[in-house]
Amino acid sequence: VAGRKGFPHVIYARLWRWPDLHKNELKHVKYCQYAFDLKCDSVCVNPYHYERVVSPGIDLSGLTLQSNAPSSMMVKDEYVHDFEGQPSLSTEGHSIQTIQHPPSNRASTETYSTPALLAPSESNATSTANFPNIPVASTTPEYWCSIAYFEMDVQVGETFKVPSSCPIVTVDGYVDPSGGDRFCLGQLSNVHRTEAIERARLHIGKGVQLECKGEGDVWVRCLSDHAVFVQSYYLDREAGRAPGDAVHKIYPSAYIKVFDLRQCHRQMQQQAATAQAAAAAQAAAVAGNIPGPGSVGGIAPAISLSAAAGIGVDDLRRLCILRMSFVKGWGPDYPRQSIKETPCWIEIHLHRALQLLDEVLHTMPIADPQPLD
């Protein structure tokens, strides 16, 4: 605990009873007179005066709701069986990095289930109704996605391709090698597998179900007893975050949309156009052809445009990829800063989106490269 802030009763409870405890999971026993929640001058740190629970409801008394309130607060998941219902919330002023998506209480198949603290008007703000139509596919991809499985930063096994004839695929921790609409991670061996990875793999269980709807929208259903953590630009946008700025925690039984093909297509068109325009402007600025107060021999505009001009094929390709970690989260709220530090995760390449990106790149040629010295 050296150098780190923490609550004494939580530290003692971790030491003596639950090493993976989150501070929101403690409730004191009735007979304790100095429990933390009673806000006495002294705090009881007896770990047996607290029980580990997760409240089925949300106590809003300590929260100040604003119109731009984030959809939920951060909470860790380290082998704890997830609860059904809403998460308990931290009321501290943290920058929220992990966005929770608990199961919806309403039967919903086609609509995005609004998170607990998001106003309905906001949830519709990013509707895809205004997006332009997607061009008709010249050829139908034989596979709608391909899934690569990783342990830490090492791919394990072959990439699994899901036929377009199987719109629903299950990725689980079991051992059936026959393929088709099931990718079983339990059958894959890795000579470098550590004990920690082995432990995490035991908790994949029933895993997740990925469903392709329409021409290429993707929904996820968490079948596991543990949450999965997802990197999704669509969910980032829905939550009002910058792309890649958040990790989305999808709870057991939750069914949620994680990819929108129209939105992705529009985004790749905008980014490609921005990159092309910036590259052209940068070239003109370097040549000193842009007048104005910001132009000092063309250098200042060139610097300001360099970031936009630096958008490459890899940046655009990321729009067509989903990443998902089983059991373990990553980001500022966790000891792991990158998904490549999580024990077991998958990367999903969406073929229709990649096909559209290829068309976008063909219709927007990049400026001729300068000859190398």
Side-chain angles (χ1 to χ4, degrees), residues 98-181:
T98 303
I99 298 174
Q100 300 173 47
H101 300 272
S104 171
N105 295 326
R106 300 183 301 278
S108 170
T109 54
E110 290 297 327
T111 56
Y112 174 78
S113 57
T114 307
L117 301 181
L118 191 64
S121 60
E122 285 185 63
S123 66
N124 298 326
T126 55
S127 168
T128 58
N130 299 325
F131 289 173
N133 289 330
I134 297 170
V136 177
S138 52
T139 57
T140 304
E142 185 181 356
Y143 304 97
W144 71 265
C145 78
S146 51
I147 307 170
Y149 169 64
F150 293 83
E151 291 176 0
M152 308 295 276
D153 60 350
V154 176
Q155 182 174 348
V156 177
E158 300 292 323
T159 298
F160 185 87
K161 293 185 177 180
V162 183
S164 296
S165 58
C166 296
I168 298 178
V169 62
T170 302
V171 183
D172 60 37
Y174 303 123
V175 294
D176 186 346
S178 54
D181 62 352

Side-chain angles (χ1 to χ4, degrees), residues 196-255:
I197 294 173
E198 192 62 70
R199 270 201 315 274
R201 279 167 54 83
L202 292 174
H203 293 274
I204 296 173
K206 294 179 182 178
V208 295
Q209 211 171 54
L210 304 171
E211 182 176 358
C212 181
K213 287 190 175 187
E215 197 179 347
D217 293 354
V218 180
W219 292 64
V220 168
R221 188 187 303 276
C222 182
L223 305 175
S224 174
D225 291 333
H226 298 274
V228 293
F229 296 81
V230 178
Q231 185 179 69
S232 158
Y233 288 176
Y234 170 77
L235 288 179
D236 291 345
R237 184 182 176 120
E238 288 291 299
R241 305 299 293 259
D245 190 37
V247 178
H248 300 269
K249 181 177 182 180
I250 300 180
Y251 282 87
S253 303
Y255 177 62

Side-chain angles (χ1 to χ4, degrees), residues 31 65 115 169 205 236 295 315 319 364:
Y31 53 80
L65 295 184
V169 62
D236 291 345
S295 176
D315 298 291
L319 300 173
M364 295 185 147

Side-chain angles (χ1 to χ4, degrees), residues 268 313 316-317 320 353-362:
M268 63 177 67
V313 174
L316 295 168
R317 200 168 58 90
C320 313
L354 288 164
Q355 190 181 43
L356 287 172
L357 175 58
D358 188 67
E359 293 173 13
V360 168
L361 293 172
H362 272 92

Side-chain angles (χ1 to χ4, degrees), residues 285-286 288 290-303:
V286 170
I290 294 183
S295 176
V296 183
I299 296 174
I303 294 171

